[in-house]
Every structure is written in structure tokens, then in C-alpha cells.
Amino acid sequence: MKHIAESTVRRLSLYLRFLEELEGQGRETISSEVLADSGGTTSAQVRKDLSFFGSFGKRGLGYSVTALAKRLREILGLGQPWQVVIIGAGKIGAALAQYRGFRARGFHVVGIFDSDPAKVGRTLDGVTVSDLAQLERELKQLKPQIAVLTVPADVAQELVQRLTKAGVRGILNFAPATLHAPDGVTVRSVNMALELEILSYALAHER
Amino acid sequence: MKHIAESTVRRLSLYLRFLEELEGQGRETISSEVLADSGGTTSAQVRKDLSFFGSFGKRGLGYSVTALAKRLREILGLGQPWQVVIIGAGKIGAALAQYRGFRARGFHVVGIFDSDPAKVGRTLDGVTVSDLAQLERELKQLKPQIAVLTVPADVAQELVQRLTKAGVRGILNFAPATLHAPDGVTVRSVNMALELEILSYALAHER
DNA sequence: CTAACTTTGTGAAGAATTTCACAAGCCCCC
DNA sequence: GGGGGCTTGTGAAATTCTTCACAAAGTTAG
Ligand SMILES: NC(=O)c1ccc[n+]([C@@H]2O[C@H](COP(=O)([O-])OP(=O)(O)OC[C@H]3O[C@@H](n4cnc5c(N)ncnc54)[C@H](O)[C@@H]3O)[C@@H](O)[C@H]2O)c1
Ligand SMILES: NC(=O)c1ccc[n+]([C@@H]2O[C@H](COP(=O)([O-])OP(=O)(O)OC[C@H]3O[C@@H](n4cnc5c(N)ncnc54)[C@H](O)[C@@H]3O)[C@@H](O)[C@H]2O)c1
């Protein structure tokens, strides 16, 4: 399959969110035009995005809401549930562990780890925090595909190593650090301070 | 000034973070090559990014770490402190309110608002949570340029309206909603579920 | 059944971004 | 003070991404 740009995948996720809303409302079909508005883009862009994966629409009518949503879930890999572990049960890690939006999308938090004895043993939304020392041992059982890193920046890279070795294939990092992983392991970083800085740039350069 | 791509601004922020690390280590100069590695890009890209704003380097030598960091802070609008309010003192709002990384970059949380009486009156990192009903009255005093939205998705848009009317010019939104704001107001969204979905896409399509 | 209308799918054009590649500038050493 | 060695700054080329624009296909109404 041809390489698909991240911007395209991002838009597909937005389309899917909107389609699921429409599904709830019992709407049956939707045009690329309306779908475009929902994601802040253009109808041509929507059609082009979808065309990478096939042709799902009916000319003169639009797309079947349920069929397109189903297809997008497959494309995005959301047909199956994913097992997720969270490393770092601090403020942001705890918030994420209790966040309903993940489970709703098929991301199941199956384990939480922390190195602080004061945090170990606590339960967050039904999952007990384990000691980081048990990481490798427990991952053998849990077999998560994805890890969320919410630890201080200076230990993030070493955890990437350990997680990778234990078979984790995707990492979502919240620490402000540039991380490196071997081929076959995908690392994405969410950097909130950086988002504020982009805002700061925009405000400072207005007009 | 010519329009600068968001991807460029994003990289400038990364360069700045690395430069500040180097400043701490007392390093005096740095080449585009080394700077590139830090941000996961190429030396040509670094030089091109910087060239939009002038020429700061010395051929044969590289860039002065302190001078470039200073210049980047100016470019990014970090020369001045920004006043920030957080709307929604829930799990993620509370985590952000207590996050040290924001203050370190000159983003000062000066107010927190919530509509839940149980949350009002609590203190997070020295700032007391106010009743949302007091929003307009208190914003007149606080005059924040930036608001962080950590409320449920279905009330996010109406808060954009109120904040905009009260003079806020930049909004960082964490709710999974596509928001619209008038010209002159910048809205950025951080969508964590979407980040996981992009990861999911990558894992599902590997090789 | 036909005609008017709507909307898709997609090449081709256009715009934006990244990479290439190299002349020019500066440092350092002899 | 000249030469060798680095590294910048930047046009030009290459690549990637978005928009345009329209034929083809389907719908709806009469
Ligand atoms: N709080 C926020 O709003 C926020 C925002 C953006 C980024 N971040 C980043 O997220 C990370 C966590 O932030 P936080 O505010 O939750 O901090 P925190 O101090 O509340 O949490 C960090 C947790 O990691 C644990 N930890 C430390 N070393 C560990 C290790 N080697 N293995 C496992 N766990 C370990 C600590 O015990 C602690 O529980 C930091 O890198 C921070 O920069 C936080
Ligand atoms: N918790 C997470 O890890 C996480 C991750 C990604 C996105 N989000 C999003 O962030 C938002 C908040 O999530 P949360 O987990 O902190 O939820 P939460 O329920 O803990 O917090 C929401 C807070 O907003 C307050 N609130 C509700 N309506 C309000 C209004 N009109 N004005 C002011 N405050 C109001 C509530 O009282 C509550 O304190 C949601 O949109 C959620 O989807 C959360």
C-alpha cells in the first residue's frame, strides 16, 4: 500500500468521529461536502482522502454513514481492541488512566506502572498500579501493543528501550523529550508546552 | 512577514528546548547539523527554518547558543509572560494547572474556573478555583490572553464564545470537538484519542 | 423513459514544503 | 597573510500535499 500522509490519517479520524455522531442520530447518508465541514476541510479533500482506500460512495447520493464508519474503523485499525499500559501514575498518567474516551475507542488500559512505592498498589478505574520493577514480568502476561509514557523526561528514553524489548510496538509519549526507537516501533509525542508555544507564536505575530 | 508554516514553528520550539539544555551545559556554539539531530530533522531544514527570520549563524562556526535561544524566544513570542486561565478543573484541567512545564516557559496560570460547586473554592498550585458564573467579571481583572479548555465536549463551543467576547485571543482545547472562533482568535486542539488512533493506524498497517 | 440535478472519483494543475548542492564567509593554523 | 577546512545561507530541484474541474454515474421528478 502506498504511503499515506499523517495529515490524511488525522482527517480520517475526524471523519469517523463525526460519522459516529450521525450514526447515533440515525442519519443514513452523507455527502463529502457535509463531512468536509465537520472536519474543517474541503469536499475534494474528503474524496481524495477516501480514494486512497477505495471508492465507498454512490454518485448523486453520497456515502452510507454506517458503511463508511465501519470501513474507516477497519482502515484505522480500530476493528480490534488494543491493549494499553500506562507508565507513570502521576497527575497526567492518572488522568489518562481514568479517561473514558480511550475505552470508547477500543483502547483498553490493562496495566499501570510506577516506580514510586507510594503510588504502587493504588487503583485507578479498576486497574491497580504495579511496581515498575515488575514491568517485564507483567508485560509477558498483559502483552500490550501500546504504551503511554507519562514519566519525567529524563527517564523516558530508557523506558522506550525496556518497553520495546518487551514487545510493545507503539508508544504515545507525553514527556517533553525527543525519543528514539528501533524500526518497527512507532513513537508519537504529545507536547503540550509546545502547543502553547505555537499559540504564543500566532498571538505574537497577528496581523 | 511571509506566512510561516506550523511545521516550521513546531521545529523552532524543539530547537529552543534543545538550546536551553545546551545553555545549561555552558556550551557556546552549535551547528545546524547537531541541532537537526536534536529535533529529528536535517541540517538544511534547520537552516531554512531559521532563514525565514534572518541569518544568525557564523559560517565555519555555527550558531551562538545563547544568541540563538534569545532570538527564538523573541520569534516565538516568549519574550513576554502570558496570562493563562484554565476552564474546567476536572482531572485533566487539574493536572495542567499543576504542571510546572508551563510556568517554566512563561505561561502563568492566573485563574481556574469550574461550574461544579464541589470544585469551586479548591486551590490548585496556589490558584483558587472560581465559579464559572464569575467568568466575565474575573476576566476583566485577570486579562488573560490565553485560555485552556478542559471541559466536556458539548459545552466547549459555548465557552469559546464567552471567552472570545471577554477578550481571550488564543484557546488551547482538550475536548474532542471541532471548534469555531471569529477571526483574530486562534484555537488549537489537542486530541489524545486521535493520537492513539494515528498510532493504531500505524500498527495496523505495518509492513 | 427522459431530463434535470446531484455528487462521486480522479487526473491534472497548483501550492507548499523539503531536500539538494554549492558559492561564499569565517575560523584557525602555520 | 595565505591556505585548508568547516559551516552557513539560499536558489533551484524534487517531492508532497491540496485544490480544481469535469466526466461519469447515480437519483429524483414528471
Ligand atoms: N501534568 C501535566 O499537565 C503535564 C503536561 C504535559 C506534559 N507532562 C509531562 O508528563 C510527565 C508526567 O508529568 P506529571 O505532571 O504527571 O508528573 P508527576 O510527577 O505527577 O508524575 C510522574 C510519575 O512518574 C513516576 N516515575 C518517575 N520515574 C519513573 C520511572 N522511572 N518509571 C515509572 N514511573 C516513574 C513518578 O513516581 C510519578 O508518579 C512529565 O514528563 C511531564 O513533563 C505533564
Ligand atoms: N482525562 C483525560 O485524560 C482526557 C484526555 C483527553 C481529553 N480529555 C477531555 O478533556 C475534557 C475534560 O476531561 P476530564 O477527564 O478532566 O473530565 P472531568 O469530568 O474530570 O472534568 C471536567 C470538568 O469540567 C467541569 N465542567 C463541566 N461543565 C462545565 C462548564 N460549562 N464550565 C466549566 N466547567 C465545566 C466539570 O465540573 C469538571 O470539573 C473532556 O472534554 C475530555 O474529553 C480528557
Side-chain angles (χ1 to χ4, degrees), chain A residues 95-96 99, chain B residues 88-92 114-116 119 132 150-153 155 159 174-176 192:
Chain A
L96 292 172
Y99 182 45
Chain B
K91 289 182 282 291
I92 194 88
D114 202 297
S115 60
D116 180 354
K119 300 258 166 70
L132 185 76
T150 49
V151 296
V155 299
L159 280 165
F174 286 84
M192 300 181 197

Side-chain angles (χ1 to χ4, degrees), chain B residues 146-187:
Chain B
I146 296 175
V148 173
L149 265 191
T150 49
V151 296
D154 56 339
V155 299
Q157 182 61 56
E158 68 186 65
L159 280 165
V160 170
Q161 251 93 55
R162 288 176 68 178
L163 290 164
T164 296
K165 224 175 230 166
V168 167
R169 291 166 57 224
I171 295 176
L172 186 60
N173 167 52
F174 286 84
T178 304
L179 301 179
H180 303 275
D183 279 7
V185 176
T186 307
V187 176

Side-chain angles (χ1 to χ4, degrees), chain A residues 4 10 13 17 38 75-77 82 105 169 178 184 188 191-192 195 197 200-201 203 205-206, chain B residues 4 10 13 17 38 75-77 82 96 105 169 178 184 188 191-192 195 197 200-201 203 205-206:
Chain A
I4 301 294
R10 185 173 290 273
S13 291
R17 177 153 72 230
S38 82
I75 290 169
L76 291 170
W82 295 99
R105 289 306 192 126
R169 290 166 57 226
T178 304
R188 294 189 55 78
N191 189 326
M192 300 181 196
E195 299 296 329
E197 286 177 28
S200 164
Y201 175 87
L203 299 190
H205 291 253
E206 248 173 26
Chain B
I4 301 294
R10 185 172 291 273
S13 291
R17 177 155 73 229
S38 81
I75 291 169
L76 291 170
W82 295 98
L96 292 172
R105 289 305 192 128
R169 291 166 57 224
T178 304
R188 294 189 56 78
N191 189 326
M192 300 181 197
E195 298 296 329
E197 286 177 30
S200 163
Y201 174 86
L203 298 191
H205 290 252
E206 247 171 28

Side-chain angles (χ1 to χ4, degrees), chain A residues 56-124:
Chain A
F56 315 125
K58 265 216 179 75
R59 300 182 183 211
L61 195 61
Y63 302 87
S64 151
V65 170
T66 50
L68 185 56
K70 181 152 177 284
R71 197 69 187 79
L72 284 181
R73 266 183 231 110
E74 283 166 25
I75 290 169
L76 291 170
L78 302 175
Q80 57 187 302
W82 295 99
Q83 266 70 253
V84 179
V85 293
I86 296 179
I87 316 294
K91 290 183 283 291
I92 195 86
L96 292 172
Q98 296 171 269
Y99 182 45
R100 305 260 120 190
F102 291 156
R103 176 142 322 190
R105 289 306 192 126
F107 297 97
H108 296 266
V109 176
V110 296
I112 309 176
F113 295 85
D114 203 297
S115 60
D116 180 355
K119 299 261 165 66
V120 175
R122 288 192 194 173
T123 296
L124 294 168

